[in-house]
Amino acid sequence: MSDLQQAICLRQEGKVREAIELLNQITEFEPENGEGWYQLAWAHDSLGLEREAVPYYEKALQLELSAEDRAGAILGLGSTYRTLGQYEQAKTWLLAGISEFPEHREFEVFYAMVLYNLGEHAEAMGRLLVQLADTSGDSRIMDYSRAIRYYADQLDRVWE
């Protein structure tokens, strides 16, 4: 098992501080290891150290990452900016994720949270409704998915 895999296992087992120690060593000796920086950011986020996670996400995104790790880093950075109240930065990163990874529905959900924080409630709700209609396995929601999608961008409309 590589040191990076060991660090990931430590984080997954809840031994996050130990994972951070190992990841700090990895990124010190392999500063171009994008996955190491991404995992370091993730570990900090796991401990509620969002502000400390930001530069690690940013560093990871400057380096080579697999598509899956890049998507995770973009989502992590966007979500972290949102929790820090930096809504415009969050919006920018989450929109980048939506553009780069349109099949990753989680970006739309986190983007809706940012829209809510920015007071764009109708847009946020509409996006969430579309995700609900498109992904729900509940038979009753599925029965109404067409109507839910139809009303998603007309929440303020009143029919006369």
Side-chain angles (χ1 to χ4, degrees), residues 99-113:
S99 175
E100 195 170 333
F101 301 99
E103 70 284 1
H104 288 237
R105 293 179 176 274
E106 63 272 21
F107 283 106
E108 286 284 347
V109 175
F110 280 83
Y111 184 61
M113 290 185 229

Side-chain angles (χ1 to χ4, degrees), residues 33-57:
N33 184 332
E35 188 179 1
W37 291 104
Y38 169 50
Q39 291 297 328
L40 187 57
W42 190 345
H44 279 80
D45 251 352
S46 296
L47 288 178
L49 301 172
E50 285 85 359
R51 195 164 306 282
E52 290 85 347
V54 168
Y56 301 134
Y57 279 126

Side-chain angles (χ1 to χ4, degrees), residues 134-147:
D134 286 355
T135 63
S136 179
D138 183 279
S139 63
R140 292 174 191 240
I141 297 288
M142 290 169 55
D143 288 346
Y144 292 98
S145 66
R146 187 170 171 210

Side-chain angles (χ1 to χ4, degrees), residues 71-136:
I74 292 171
L75 185 71
L77 182 57
S79 174
T80 298
Y81 274 137
R82 190 193 73 76
T83 65
L84 294 171
Q86 298 176 353
Y87 304 129
E88 290 301 327
Q89 292 96 323
K91 187 175 182 179
T92 297
W93 278 105
L94 293 169
L95 280 172
I98 289 168
S99 175
E100 195 170 333
F101 301 99
E103 70 284 1
H104 288 237
R105 293 179 176 274
E106 63 272 21
F107 283 106
E108 286 284 347
V109 175
F110 280 83
Y111 184 61
M113 290 185 229
V114 171
L115 291 174
Y116 170 85
N117 292 125
L118 291 169
E120 298 176 39
H121 302 125
E123 176 74 12
M125 183 69 168
R127 287 177 178 267
L128 287 176
L129 286 171
V130 167
Q131 294 309 309
L132 176 66
D134 286 355
T135 63
S136 179

